[in-house]
Amino acid sequence: MITEQTAALRSALEGTGAPVEFTLDDAHTTGGVLFRPEARDAARCGHPDAVAVVRTSGSTGTPKQTVLTGAGLRASAGATATRIGAPEQGTQWLLAVGTQYVAGLAVVSRSILAGTDPVVLAPGTFTANKFTAAARELRARAGTTGFTAVSLVPTQLTRLLDDGPGSPTVAALADLDAILVGGARLPDSARQRSAEADLNLHLTYGMAETCGGCVYDGVPLDGVFADLVTEPDNPDITRLRLAGPMVAAGYLDDPERTAAHFSAGPQGRRFLTEDTGVVSLEDSPAAGIRTLRQRLQVTGRVDDVINTGGVKVSAAHVQRVLEESPEVRDAFVTGIPDDQWGQLVCAVLVLADPTSTPDAGPTTELESRLAARLRTELGRAAVPKKWGYRESLPLLANGKTDRQALRRELENRTDEDS
């Protein structure tokens, strides 16, 4: 499958090949469609350079079909190579994310433009053994001095780090020249373990609409510009907007949504995200020349603001405080409708020690400690009124947290308690 897909994407990027439409097989029905140039329905895709349609996961409840262009994928690949210090030719990528998602599609396009074929992780469940074996093959292809890279989601990296310091898995991670991690927030504990293992980590921010990550370690890639747009009906909320050559053409068969999110601007095509954040300027480290560069911090999502009792609480901020506790491995926070409060702040926790999960019932000592910390840092309204516990958070096929499943679970639990 990957060989056929690589050939289809290569022909699309290079503008060559037979007029054959390439569609993912039944095992990847949630994924995207690649088009060879002559077979594109340009009017339907809305852009003459359309080469791929990526169907998003719908983790927020609104699946979309994003039209990517050849110019966008090429710009993304080139800017990525520059930022991570990879050579224009010869970089070897490990493909550990499904190609039906933009992160996997980006790895394939980067490999094509680098003149290499990606090493593909063995199919089936993601395991440390499969990753380690693929990483060894990657190094063998690249040689001792070749540049190697991988793109992972936080859950994958966390599971690999669980093998512990000195393990073959962590040694394989440390041997990589660049590890791109995106798709969700990486827990602080995983960041610390990555630093202790001296991993060449790059935390990326982006989405299908920007051909994948376009902000690395808080700094936009070359050619990318970020600004803030104030919500017309709520001046307290500012949404991030990203501009640059890798911004998508729009959404397939959805002109209304395309018009709401995509526009032209002085820095190029722009995409209005669903994320809130802060954009600032800082000194660039360029030697001998004092210049300014943008720094971007994502603070949450527009829809993660919980209005409880008339007080607005950021679910992302609550999650951050919870995950800073050494007793919490992972957390999910959301608001559930409530007749009295408007919304209830609810949290689902994955504990660092799975054997210590409290029994259901009155407030536990752990919840009291976490509540005290939240009151101190964020105020009384930020304390969850409902707590849940899991051995792990449910994931979508692309490694992102299944937010909709957790919301349904919390809503059902709230109904039972009422």
Side-chain angles (χ1 to χ4, degrees), residues 302-316 318 333-336 342-346 381:
V302 173
D303 61 2
D304 86 347
V305 177
I306 304 168
N307 192 331
T308 179
V311 179
K312 293 178 181 177
V313 174
S314 167
V318 177
V333 178
T334 191
I336 298 301
Q343 287 181 295
L344 295 178
V345 179
C346 300

Side-chain angles (χ1 to χ4, degrees), residues 48-406:
D49 189 32
V51 297
V53 176
V54 175
R55 299 188 185 101
T56 61
S57 62
S59 61
T60 61
T62 54
K64 303 177 288 289
Q65 298 186 91
T66 306
V67 179
L68 306 185
T69 66
L73 287 170
R74 288 190 292 270
S76 175
T80 295
T82 298
R83 179 58 55 84
I84 66 177
E88 290 186 7
Q89 292 289 304
T91 298
Q92 289 285 342
W93 284 86
L94 196 166
L95 180 61
V97 181
T99 52
Q100 68 269 37
Y101 303 110
V102 72
L105 185 64
V107 166
V108 176
S109 63
R110 292 169 194 152
S111 298
I112 290 171
L113 296 171
T116 61
D117 290 321
V119 171
V120 183
L121 199 72
T125 304
F126 179 86
T127 67
N129 288 339
K130 288 181 181 179
F131 174 84
T132 303
R136 287 172 178 162
E137 181 183 346
L138 189 76
R139 176 51 65 192
R141 285 195 194 180
T144 56
T145 60
F147 198 97
T148 58
V150 67
S151 181
L152 301 171
V153 297
T155 303
Q156 290 175 316
L157 178 61
T158 300
R159 289 178 180 174
L160 295 175
L161 290 169
D162 284 345
D163 271 20
S167 66
T169 302
V170 174
L173 283 168
D175 185 52
L176 292 165
D177 294 294
I179 303 169
L180 279 52
V181 181
R185 179 180 178 274
L186 183 67
D188 291 339
S189 59
R191 296 190 194 199
Q192 181 178 346
R193 287 191 289 166
S194 296
E196 292 170 351
D198 197 25
L199 303 187
N200 300 308
L201 209 63
H202 294 278
L203 301 182
T204 72
Y205 166 71
M207 53 283 297
E209 291 86 346
T210 58
C211 289
C214 65
V215 178
Y216 282 40
D217 303 309
V219 178
L221 294 178
D222 292 350
V224 176
F225 179 83
D227 67 346
L228 300 174
V229 178
T230 302
E231 289 285 276
D233 57 347
N234 192 341
D236 294 330
I237 297 179
T238 53
R239 281 201 278 174
L240 288 168
R241 183 168 58 186
L242 302 168
M246 60 282 294
V247 170
Y251 297 120
L252 184 66
D253 296 334
D254 197 341
E256 183 176 345
R257 184 179 287 174
T258 296
H261 286 273
F262 293 90
S263 62
Q267 290 82 23
R269 189 160 177 79
R270 303 181 298 191
F271 171 68
L272 183 62
T273 76
E274 298 290 349
D275 297 317
T276 61
V278 177
V279 179
S280 58
L281 292 175
E282 65 177 17
D283 284 332
S284 172
I289 303 176
R290 186 179 184 276
T291 58
L292 294 176
R293 69 179 183 185
Q294 287 190 312
R295 179 163 287 278
L296 183 150
Q297 179 185 4
V298 180
T299 57
R301 291 184 55 84
V302 173
D303 61 2
D304 86 347
V305 177
I306 304 168
N307 192 331
T308 179
V311 179
K312 293 178 181 177
V313 174
S314 167
H317 290 174
V318 177
Q319 179 181 332
R320 174 185 58 79
V321 172
L322 293 174
E323 291 182 343
E324 286 175 352
S325 169
E327 296 172 286
V328 177
R329 180 186 182 88
D330 207 354
F332 171 77
V333 178
T334 191
I336 298 301
D338 180 74
D339 292 339
Q340 179 181 356
W341 294 91
Q343 287 181 295
L344 295 178
V345 179
C346 300
V348 177
L349 305 180
V350 176
L351 301 185
D353 179 3
T355 64
S356 63
T357 300
D359 295 329
T363 301
T364 66
E365 291 184 11
L366 171 62
E367 291 165 10
S368 296
R369 290 195 298 273
L370 294 174
R373 185 169 183 175
L374 286 166
R375 278 193 295 270
T376 299
E377 296 197 26
L378 302 178
R380 183 178 298 275
V383 176
K385 290 182 170 59
K386 295 287 182 180
W387 300 84
Y389 298 89
R390 273 177 154 268
E391 292 184 0
S392 62
L393 298 182
L395 301 177
L396 297 165
N398 62 355
K400 293 185 179 181
T401 300
D402 192 339
R403 297 160 60 93
Q404 298 305 312
L406 285 168

Side-chain angles (χ1 to χ4, degrees), residues 9-54:
L9 183 56
R10 179 179 286 113
S11 74
L13 291 175
E14 296 175 351
T16 61
V20 177
E21 183 175 298
F22 178 84
T23 306
L24 295 177
D25 62 19
D26 292 339
H28 300 90
T29 52
T30 60
V33 179
L34 297 179
F35 298 88
R36 301 235 180 160
E38 293 82 358
R40 289 192 306 261
D41 184 341
R44 192 170 171 230
C45 290
H47 199 286
D49 189 32
V51 297
V53 176
V54 175

